[in-house]
Amino acid sequence: MATAAPIRTDWSIIWAQRGFRYFFVAMFVSLFGSGMNFAGVSWYILTATHSTLAVSLQVIVVTLPGLIVPFLGGVLIDRYDRRYLGVLLDFTRGVVVLATAYIAWRAHLQLWHLYAMTLVTGMGSAMYWATVNALVQEVIPSDQFAGANAAVLIGIQSGMLLAGSFVGFFYDRAGIAGILFIDGLTYFVSAYCLFQLRRGYVSPRDHQQYPREFSERTEATAEALEAAENPEVAEAGLGLAVYADLREGFAYLKQQPAVRALGITHAVMMAGVVSANVVLVALANDVLHSGARGLGFLEAGWATGAIIGGLLASQLSGPLRLTLYAAALAGLATGHMVVPFAAFLTGAVLLQFFFGMCRALGGVVAQSTLMTIVPRHFMGRTQSAIAILTTAIQLLMSFALGWVAQSAGIIAGYALLALLYVFATASGFRARQLLR
Protein backbone atom coordinates (compact mmCIF):
# COMPACT_ATOMS: atom_id res chain seq x y z
CA MET A 1 0.00 0.00 0.00
CA ALA A 2 1.45 3.35 -1.00
CA THR A 3 0.88 6.59 0.80
CA ALA A 4 1.31 10.09 -0.53
CA ALA A 5 4.49 11.86 0.46
CA PRO A 6 3.70 14.05 3.46
CA ILE A 7 3.96 17.81 3.23
CA ARG A 8 6.65 19.29 5.47
CA THR A 9 5.33 20.47 8.79
CA ASP A 10 4.31 24.12 8.92
CA TRP A 11 4.20 25.09 12.59
CA SER A 12 2.51 28.42 11.82
CA ILE A 13 -0.51 26.56 10.41
CA ILE A 14 -0.70 24.25 13.42
CA TRP A 15 -0.44 26.94 16.09
CA ALA A 16 -2.84 29.20 14.21
CA GLN A 17 -5.61 26.76 15.11
CA ARG A 18 -7.20 28.11 18.32
CA GLY A 19 -8.61 24.72 19.19
CA PHE A 20 -5.24 23.03 18.91
CA ARG A 21 -3.65 25.53 21.29
CA TYR A 22 -6.20 24.61 23.94
CA PHE A 23 -5.69 20.94 23.12
CA PHE A 24 -1.91 21.25 23.59
CA VAL A 25 -2.30 22.90 26.99
CA ALA A 26 -4.80 20.23 28.05
CA MET A 27 -2.33 17.46 27.21
CA PHE A 28 0.58 19.26 28.88
CA VAL A 29 -1.28 19.89 32.14
CA SER A 30 -2.95 16.49 32.24
CA LEU A 31 0.30 14.58 31.77
CA PHE A 32 2.11 16.71 34.32
CA GLY A 33 -0.38 15.52 36.93
CA SER A 34 -0.57 11.95 35.65
CA GLY A 35 3.23 11.68 35.54
CA MET A 36 3.51 12.76 39.17
CA ASN A 37 0.66 10.40 40.11
CA PHE A 38 2.12 7.33 38.43
CA ALA A 39 5.67 7.85 39.71
CA GLY A 40 4.52 8.89 43.20
CA VAL A 41 2.06 6.03 43.66
CA SER A 42 4.55 3.48 42.30
CA TRP A 43 7.20 4.70 44.73
CA TYR A 44 4.76 4.73 47.65
CA ILE A 45 3.71 1.13 46.95
CA LEU A 46 7.30 -0.08 46.58
CA THR A 47 8.47 1.55 49.80
CA ALA A 48 5.40 0.29 51.68
CA THR A 49 5.60 -3.32 50.45
CA HIS A 50 9.18 -3.76 49.12
CA SER A 51 7.62 -5.88 46.37
CA THR A 52 7.85 -5.45 42.58
CA LEU A 53 4.77 -7.69 42.36
CA ALA A 54 2.80 -5.07 44.28
CA VAL A 55 3.99 -2.42 41.82
CA SER A 56 3.05 -4.66 38.90
CA LEU A 57 -0.42 -5.03 40.43
CA GLN A 58 -0.81 -1.25 40.21
CA VAL A 59 0.08 -1.35 36.51
CA ILE A 60 -2.33 -4.26 35.99
CA VAL A 61 -5.17 -2.43 37.75
CA VAL A 62 -4.69 0.74 35.70
CA THR A 63 -4.68 -1.18 32.43
CA LEU A 64 -7.26 -3.92 33.11
CA PRO A 65 -10.25 -1.74 32.10
CA GLY A 66 -8.67 -1.41 28.67
CA LEU A 67 -9.83 -4.95 27.89
CA ILE A 68 -13.50 -4.03 28.30
CA VAL A 69 -14.12 -0.27 28.11
CA PRO A 70 -12.84 0.31 24.54
CA PHE A 71 -15.47 -2.02 23.02
CA LEU A 72 -18.20 0.42 23.99
CA GLY A 73 -15.88 3.42 24.08
CA GLY A 74 -14.93 3.15 20.42
CA VAL A 75 -18.58 3.21 19.39
CA LEU A 76 -19.31 6.22 21.62
CA ILE A 77 -16.28 8.07 20.26
CA ASP A 78 -17.52 7.59 16.70
CA ARG A 79 -21.11 8.56 17.61
CA TYR A 80 -20.91 11.54 19.96
CA ASP A 81 -18.95 14.78 20.25
CA ARG A 82 -15.43 13.81 21.31
CA ARG A 83 -14.88 17.11 23.09
CA TYR A 84 -17.73 16.48 25.55
CA LEU A 85 -16.56 12.91 26.14
CA GLY A 86 -13.07 14.17 27.02
CA VAL A 87 -14.43 16.80 29.42
CA LEU A 88 -16.62 14.24 31.20
CA LEU A 89 -13.76 11.77 31.58
CA ASP A 90 -11.40 14.44 32.96
CA PHE A 91 -13.98 15.73 35.44
CA THR A 92 -14.81 12.27 36.79
CA ARG A 93 -11.19 11.29 37.29
CA GLY A 94 -10.41 14.62 38.96
CA VAL A 95 -13.11 14.07 41.59
CA VAL A 96 -11.86 10.56 42.40
CA VAL A 97 -8.19 11.57 42.68
CA LEU A 98 -8.98 14.55 44.94
CA ALA A 99 -11.06 12.28 47.18
CA THR A 100 -8.09 9.93 47.52
CA ALA A 101 -5.79 12.89 48.26
CA TYR A 102 -8.12 13.90 51.08
CA ILE A 103 -7.99 10.38 52.55
CA ALA A 104 -4.18 10.46 52.41
CA TRP A 105 -4.11 13.93 54.01
CA ARG A 106 -6.19 12.61 56.90
CA ALA A 107 -3.62 9.79 57.32
CA HIS A 108 -6.15 7.04 56.59
CA LEU A 109 -4.66 5.91 53.29
CA GLN A 110 -4.41 2.18 52.64
CA LEU A 111 -3.15 0.32 49.59
CA TRP A 112 -6.65 -0.63 48.50
CA HIS A 113 -7.53 3.07 48.29
CA LEU A 114 -4.73 3.58 45.78
CA TYR A 115 -5.70 0.49 43.81
CA ALA A 116 -9.35 1.62 43.71
CA MET A 117 -8.35 5.10 42.54
CA THR A 118 -6.07 3.58 39.93
CA LEU A 119 -8.91 1.36 38.69
CA VAL A 120 -11.21 4.35 38.18
CA THR A 121 -8.55 6.45 36.46
CA GLY A 122 -7.67 3.41 34.35
CA MET A 123 -11.30 3.09 33.25
CA GLY A 124 -11.23 6.74 32.20
CA SER A 125 -7.87 6.47 30.47
CA ALA A 126 -9.00 3.39 28.53
CA MET A 127 -11.46 5.63 26.69
CA TYR A 128 -9.76 9.02 27.06
CA TRP A 129 -6.69 8.46 24.88
CA ALA A 130 -8.68 6.99 22.02
CA THR A 131 -10.97 10.04 22.33
CA VAL A 132 -8.23 12.68 22.20
CA ASN A 133 -6.29 10.89 19.44
CA ALA A 134 -9.45 10.92 17.32
CA LEU A 135 -10.10 14.55 18.28
CA VAL A 136 -6.81 15.70 16.73
CA GLN A 137 -8.28 14.89 13.31
CA GLU A 138 -10.98 17.51 13.88
CA VAL A 139 -8.79 20.48 14.81
CA ILE A 140 -5.85 20.19 12.39
CA PRO A 141 -5.65 20.23 8.55
CA SER A 142 -5.03 16.72 7.21
CA ASP A 143 -1.68 17.65 5.62
CA GLN A 144 -0.28 18.66 9.04
CA PHE A 145 -1.05 15.48 11.01
CA ALA A 146 2.64 14.60 11.53
CA GLY A 147 3.43 18.01 13.00
CA ALA A 148 0.26 18.00 15.10
CA ASN A 149 1.08 14.58 16.56
CA ALA A 150 4.63 15.72 17.24
CA ALA A 151 3.31 18.83 19.01
CA VAL A 152 0.88 16.74 21.08
CA LEU A 153 3.66 14.33 22.03
CA ILE A 154 5.91 17.27 22.94
CA GLY A 155 3.15 18.65 25.15
CA ILE A 156 2.68 15.28 26.80
CA GLN A 157 6.37 14.67 27.32
CA SER A 158 7.00 18.25 28.50
CA GLY A 159 4.41 17.62 31.17
CA MET A 160 6.11 14.34 32.01
CA LEU A 161 9.48 16.10 32.04
CA LEU A 162 8.35 18.63 34.62
CA ALA A 163 6.64 15.86 36.56
CA GLY A 164 9.83 13.79 36.58
CA SER A 165 11.85 16.81 37.66
CA PHE A 166 9.54 17.72 40.54
CA VAL A 167 8.08 14.40 41.70
CA GLY A 168 10.98 13.55 43.99
CA PHE A 169 11.00 17.07 45.46
CA PHE A 170 7.24 17.10 46.07
CA TYR A 171 7.17 13.54 47.38
CA ASP A 172 9.88 14.24 49.97
CA ARG A 173 8.04 17.36 51.21
CA ALA A 174 4.30 16.87 50.59
CA GLY A 175 4.08 13.08 50.48
CA ILE A 176 1.58 11.08 48.49
CA ALA A 177 -1.28 13.41 49.54
CA GLY A 178 0.39 16.40 47.89
CA ILE A 179 1.11 14.43 44.72
CA LEU A 180 -2.52 13.32 44.41
CA PHE A 181 -3.83 16.81 45.15
CA ILE A 182 -1.81 18.30 42.29
CA ASP A 183 -2.90 15.52 39.94
CA GLY A 184 -6.56 16.03 40.84
CA LEU A 185 -6.41 19.75 40.06
CA THR A 186 -4.79 19.14 36.67
CA TYR A 187 -7.79 17.09 35.54
CA PHE A 188 -10.07 20.10 36.01
CA VAL A 189 -7.67 22.39 34.12
CA SER A 190 -7.55 19.86 31.28
CA ALA A 191 -11.36 19.61 31.22
CA TYR A 192 -11.65 23.40 30.93
CA CYS A 193 -9.18 23.51 28.03
CA LEU A 194 -11.04 20.78 26.15
CA PHE A 195 -14.32 22.61 26.72
CA GLN A 196 -12.81 25.78 25.20
CA LEU A 197 -11.45 23.86 22.22
CA ARG A 198 -14.41 24.85 20.03
CA ARG A 199 -18.07 25.86 20.17
CA GLY A 200 -21.17 23.83 19.46
CA TYR A 201 -21.86 20.12 19.07
CA VAL A 202 -19.90 18.24 16.38
CA SER A 203 -20.84 14.68 15.48
CA PRO A 204 -18.17 12.47 13.86
CA ARG A 205 -20.95 11.01 11.70
CA ASP A 206 -21.21 14.26 9.78
CA HIS A 207 -17.89 13.50 8.05
CA GLN A 208 -18.26 9.96 6.72
CA GLN A 209 -16.16 9.20 3.68
CA TYR A 210 -15.88 5.43 3.83
CA PRO A 211 -18.76 3.40 2.26
CA ARG A 212 -20.95 1.88 4.95
CA GLU A 213 -21.02 -1.87 4.97
CA PHE A 214 -24.60 -2.01 6.23
CA SER A 215 -27.63 -0.48 4.63
CA GLU A 216 -29.26 2.70 5.81
CA ARG A 217 -32.30 0.58 6.60
CA THR A 218 -30.43 -0.93 9.56
CA GLU A 219 -29.47 2.53 10.78
CA ALA A 220 -33.00 3.84 10.31
CA THR A 221 -34.42 0.88 12.23
CA ALA A 222 -31.97 1.43 15.06
CA GLU A 223 -32.75 5.15 15.26
CA ALA A 224 -36.50 4.48 15.23
CA LEU A 225 -36.13 1.98 18.05
CA GLU A 226 -33.95 4.38 20.05
CA ALA A 227 -36.61 7.06 19.72
CA ALA A 228 -39.41 4.78 20.96
CA GLU A 229 -41.24 5.71 24.13
CA ASN A 230 -41.01 2.17 25.51
CA PRO A 231 -37.69 1.96 27.41
CA GLU A 232 -37.21 -1.72 26.52
CA VAL A 233 -37.71 -1.00 22.84
CA ALA A 234 -35.35 2.00 23.03
CA GLU A 235 -32.71 -0.15 24.71
CA ALA A 236 -33.04 -2.74 21.96
CA GLY A 237 -32.56 -0.01 19.36
CA LEU A 238 -29.42 1.26 21.03
CA GLY A 239 -28.10 -2.30 21.29
CA LEU A 240 -28.72 -2.87 17.59
CA ALA A 241 -26.94 0.37 16.67
CA VAL A 242 -23.93 -0.46 18.88
CA TYR A 243 -23.72 -3.98 17.48
CA ALA A 244 -23.90 -2.65 13.90
CA ASP A 245 -21.14 -0.15 14.63
CA LEU A 246 -18.92 -2.84 16.16
CA ARG A 247 -19.38 -5.13 13.14
CA GLU A 248 -18.71 -2.26 10.79
CA GLY A 249 -15.48 -1.43 12.62
CA PHE A 250 -14.24 -5.02 12.58
CA ALA A 251 -15.10 -5.29 8.88
CA TYR A 252 -13.07 -2.18 8.15
CA LEU A 253 -10.01 -3.45 10.03
CA LYS A 254 -10.28 -6.83 8.31
CA GLN A 255 -9.95 -5.11 4.93
CA GLN A 256 -6.98 -2.94 5.93
CA PRO A 257 -3.74 -4.96 6.44
CA ALA A 258 -1.61 -1.82 6.67
CA VAL A 259 -3.79 -0.40 9.46
CA ARG A 260 -3.63 -3.73 11.29
CA ALA A 261 0.16 -3.99 11.01
CA LEU A 262 0.66 -0.41 12.15
CA GLY A 263 -1.81 -0.88 15.00
CA ILE A 264 -0.16 -4.08 16.22
CA THR A 265 3.28 -2.48 16.15
CA HIS A 266 2.10 0.57 18.05
CA ALA A 267 0.22 -1.56 20.58
CA VAL A 268 3.27 -3.73 21.33
CA MET A 269 5.52 -0.69 21.67
CA MET A 270 3.13 1.14 24.02
CA ALA A 271 2.59 -2.00 26.11
CA GLY A 272 6.34 -2.19 26.61
CA VAL A 273 6.59 1.50 27.46
CA VAL A 274 3.96 1.36 30.23
CA SER A 275 4.82 -2.04 31.71
CA ALA A 276 8.51 -1.03 31.90
CA ASN A 277 7.59 1.08 34.94
CA VAL A 278 7.60 -2.15 36.98
CA VAL A 279 11.34 -2.69 36.49
CA LEU A 280 12.21 1.02 36.27
CA VAL A 281 11.16 1.55 39.89
CA ALA A 282 13.23 -1.47 40.90
CA LEU A 283 16.19 -0.14 38.91
CA ALA A 284 16.11 3.17 40.81
CA ASN A 285 15.73 1.46 44.18
CA ASP A 286 17.80 -1.74 43.96
CA VAL A 287 20.51 -1.03 41.36
CA LEU A 288 21.06 2.72 41.38
CA HIS A 289 20.07 3.26 45.05
CA SER A 290 18.94 6.75 44.06
CA GLY A 291 15.51 6.93 45.74
CA ALA A 292 12.51 8.91 44.58
CA ARG A 293 14.69 11.70 43.18
CA GLY A 294 16.62 9.21 41.07
CA LEU A 295 13.35 7.90 39.69
CA GLY A 296 12.44 11.49 38.86
CA PHE A 297 15.70 11.98 36.95
CA LEU A 298 15.04 8.78 34.99
CA GLU A 299 11.55 9.98 34.07
CA ALA A 300 12.93 13.40 33.11
CA GLY A 301 15.57 11.79 30.87
CA TRP A 302 12.86 9.86 29.06
CA ALA A 303 10.70 12.94 28.59
CA THR A 304 13.59 15.04 27.28
CA GLY A 305 14.43 12.41 24.69
CA ALA A 306 10.77 12.17 23.69
CA ILE A 307 10.54 15.95 23.12
CA ILE A 308 13.60 15.90 20.84
CA GLY A 309 12.36 12.77 19.08
CA GLY A 310 8.98 14.38 18.46
CA LEU A 311 10.58 17.46 16.89
CA LEU A 312 12.79 15.28 14.74
CA ALA A 313 9.92 13.06 13.54
CA SER A 314 7.84 16.05 12.46
CA GLN A 315 10.51 17.18 9.97
CA LEU A 316 11.35 13.86 8.32
CA SER A 317 10.37 12.96 4.77
CA GLY A 318 8.00 10.04 4.22
CA PRO A 319 10.48 7.26 3.23
CA LEU A 320 13.02 8.29 5.87
CA ARG A 321 10.28 8.53 8.49
CA LEU A 322 9.21 4.91 7.95
CA THR A 323 12.82 3.70 7.92
CA LEU A 324 13.61 5.40 11.21
CA TYR A 325 10.33 4.05 12.61
CA ALA A 326 11.59 0.50 12.26
CA ALA A 327 15.09 1.48 13.40
CA ALA A 328 13.71 3.11 16.56
CA LEU A 329 11.96 -0.13 17.52
CA ALA A 330 15.22 -2.03 17.00
CA GLY A 331 16.95 0.54 19.20
CA LEU A 332 14.44 -0.09 22.00
CA ALA A 333 15.10 -3.84 21.77
CA THR A 334 18.87 -3.43 21.91
CA GLY A 335 18.92 -0.75 24.58
CA HIS A 336 16.84 -2.68 27.07
CA MET A 337 19.45 -5.43 27.14
CA VAL A 338 21.98 -2.86 28.39
CA VAL A 339 19.97 -0.94 31.01
CA PRO A 340 20.45 -3.19 34.07
CA PHE A 341 24.23 -3.02 33.59
CA ALA A 342 24.24 0.78 33.88
CA ALA A 343 25.28 0.92 37.52
CA PHE A 344 25.37 4.72 37.76
CA LEU A 345 22.54 7.21 37.48
CA THR A 346 23.94 9.32 34.63
CA GLY A 347 24.29 6.31 32.33
CA ALA A 348 20.78 5.13 33.12
CA VAL A 349 19.37 8.61 32.45
CA LEU A 350 21.14 8.73 29.07
CA LEU A 351 19.62 5.37 28.13
CA GLN A 352 16.20 6.63 29.19
CA PHE A 353 16.80 9.67 26.99
CA PHE A 354 17.47 7.35 24.05
CA PHE A 355 14.35 5.28 24.80
CA GLY A 356 12.21 8.39 24.97
CA MET A 357 13.49 9.56 21.60
CA CYS A 358 12.79 6.16 20.02
CA ARG A 359 9.30 6.05 21.51
CA ALA A 360 8.56 9.54 20.16
CA LEU A 361 9.70 8.63 16.66
CA GLY A 362 7.56 5.50 16.72
CA GLY A 363 4.51 7.21 18.22
CA VAL A 364 4.48 10.22 15.89
CA VAL A 365 4.96 8.11 12.76
CA ALA A 366 2.30 5.58 13.78
CA GLN A 367 -0.37 8.09 14.83
CA SER A 368 0.15 10.53 11.95
CA THR A 369 0.05 7.67 9.44
CA LEU A 370 -3.13 6.28 10.97
CA MET A 371 -4.77 9.72 10.82
CA THR A 372 -3.85 9.96 7.16
CA ILE A 373 -5.21 6.57 6.07
CA VAL A 374 -8.13 5.98 8.50
CA PRO A 375 -11.42 7.82 7.79
CA ARG A 376 -12.56 10.11 10.58
CA HIS A 377 -15.71 8.16 11.46
CA PHE A 378 -13.64 4.96 11.92
CA MET A 379 -10.87 6.55 13.98
CA GLY A 380 -12.52 5.99 17.37
CA ARG A 381 -13.03 2.29 16.76
CA THR A 382 -9.54 1.92 15.27
CA GLN A 383 -7.92 3.63 18.26
CA SER A 384 -10.02 1.53 20.64
CA ALA A 385 -8.98 -1.70 18.89
CA ILE A 386 -5.34 -0.68 19.33
CA ALA A 387 -6.05 0.18 22.99
CA ILE A 388 -7.56 -3.27 23.62
CA LEU A 389 -4.55 -5.03 22.13
CA THR A 390 -2.18 -2.74 24.04
CA THR A 391 -3.98 -3.52 27.29
CA ALA A 392 -3.91 -7.28 26.76
CA ILE A 393 -0.16 -7.28 26.10
CA GLN A 394 0.45 -4.79 28.89
CA LEU A 395 -1.38 -6.93 31.46
CA LEU A 396 0.63 -10.01 30.54
CA MET A 397 3.90 -8.07 30.56
CA SER A 398 3.20 -6.26 33.84
CA PHE A 399 2.56 -9.52 35.69
CA ALA A 400 5.43 -11.30 33.95
CA LEU A 401 7.89 -8.48 34.64
CA GLY A 402 6.92 -8.29 38.31
CA TRP A 403 7.26 -12.06 38.76
CA VAL A 404 10.46 -12.43 36.70
CA ALA A 405 12.18 -9.42 38.29
CA GLN A 406 11.37 -10.66 41.80
CA SER A 407 12.25 -14.32 41.23
CA ALA A 408 15.04 -14.17 38.62
CA GLY A 409 16.37 -10.63 39.02
CA ILE A 410 16.14 -7.32 37.22
CA ILE A 411 18.43 -8.44 34.37
CA ALA A 412 15.95 -11.14 33.42
CA GLY A 413 13.13 -8.60 33.62
CA TYR A 414 14.81 -6.25 31.17
CA ALA A 415 15.65 -9.19 28.88
CA LEU A 416 11.93 -9.98 28.72
CA LEU A 417 11.22 -6.37 27.74
CA ALA A 418 13.88 -6.55 25.03
CA LEU A 419 12.21 -9.68 23.63
CA LEU A 420 8.91 -7.82 23.40
CA TYR A 421 10.56 -5.03 21.43
CA VAL A 422 12.11 -7.59 19.07
CA PHE A 423 8.57 -8.64 18.14
CA ALA A 424 7.60 -4.97 17.71
CA THR A 425 10.59 -4.48 15.40
CA ALA A 426 9.52 -7.38 13.17
CA SER A 427 5.97 -6.03 13.04
CA GLY A 428 7.30 -2.54 12.31
CA PHE A 429 9.23 -3.75 9.26
CA ARG A 430 6.05 -5.49 8.07
CA ALA A 431 4.08 -2.24 8.41
CA ARG A 432 6.83 -0.38 6.55
CA GLN A 433 6.59 -2.80 3.62
CA LEU A 434 2.81 -2.42 3.38
CA LEU A 435 2.98 1.38 3.51
CA ARG A 436 5.68 1.83 0.86
Side-chain angles (χ1 to χ4, degrees), residues 101-124:
Y102 177 75
I103 294 173
W105 179 64
R106 295 298 300 269
H108 298 310
L109 185 67
Q110 300 180 34
L111 284 183
W112 74 265
H113 291 127
L114 293 176
Y115 288 135
M117 176 201 70
T118 301
L119 179 63
V120 174
T121 56
M123 292 174 65

Side-chain angles (χ1 to χ4, degrees), residues 12 14 38 47 72 83 115-116 133 143 170-171 180 209 236 307 311 360 367 374 385 414 424:
S12 64
I14 294 174
F38 199 61
T47 54
L72 178 60
R83 177 174 65 109
Y115 288 135
N133 282 331
D143 59 358
F170 277 114
Y171 189 91
L180 295 179
Q209 298 174 351
I307 292 170
L311 288 171
Q367 288 294 344
V374 177
Y414 271 102

Side-chain angles (χ1 to χ4, degrees), residues 6-7 11 71 92 108 138 177 184 189 207 216 229 248 299 311 345 393 405-406 432:
I7 298 174
W11 294 106
F71 282 104
T92 303
H108 298 310
E138 301 178 8
V189 175
H207 305 276
E216 295 299 327
E229 294 182 3
E248 188 181 34
E299 297 281 7
L311 288 171
L345 182 59
I393 301 171
Q406 186 153 305
R432 176 174 174 270

Side-chain angles (χ1 to χ4, degrees), residues 24 30 76 120 134 155 190 221 291 320 348-349 402 409 430:
F24 179 88
S30 179
L76 295 177
V120 174
S190 176
T221 301
L320 183 58
V349 170
R430 167 67 175 163

Side-chain angles (χ1 to χ4, degrees), residues 129-148:
W129 289 110
T131 301
V132 296
N133 282 331
L135 190 57
V136 172
Q137 277 187 313
E138 301 178 8
V139 296
I140 283 296
S142 60
D143 59 358
Q144 297 296 322
F145 282 153

Side-chain angles (χ1 to χ4, degrees), residues 9 11 14-15 20 23-29 31-32 146-162 302-315 356 359-361 363-364:
T9 298
W11 294 106
I14 294 174
W15 294 112
F20 186 78
F23 187 90
F24 179 88
V25 175
M27 295 301 98
F28 173 84
V29 172
L31 266 294
F32 173 76
N149 276 282
V152 170
L153 188 142
I154 289 169
I156 289 172
Q157 296 301 333
S158 296
M160 294 289 288
L161 172 61
L162 284 180
W302 169 281
T304 305
I307 292 170
I308 294 175
L311 288 171
L312 177 63
S314 69
Q315 300 300 317
R359 178 262 182 266
L361 283 169
V364 170

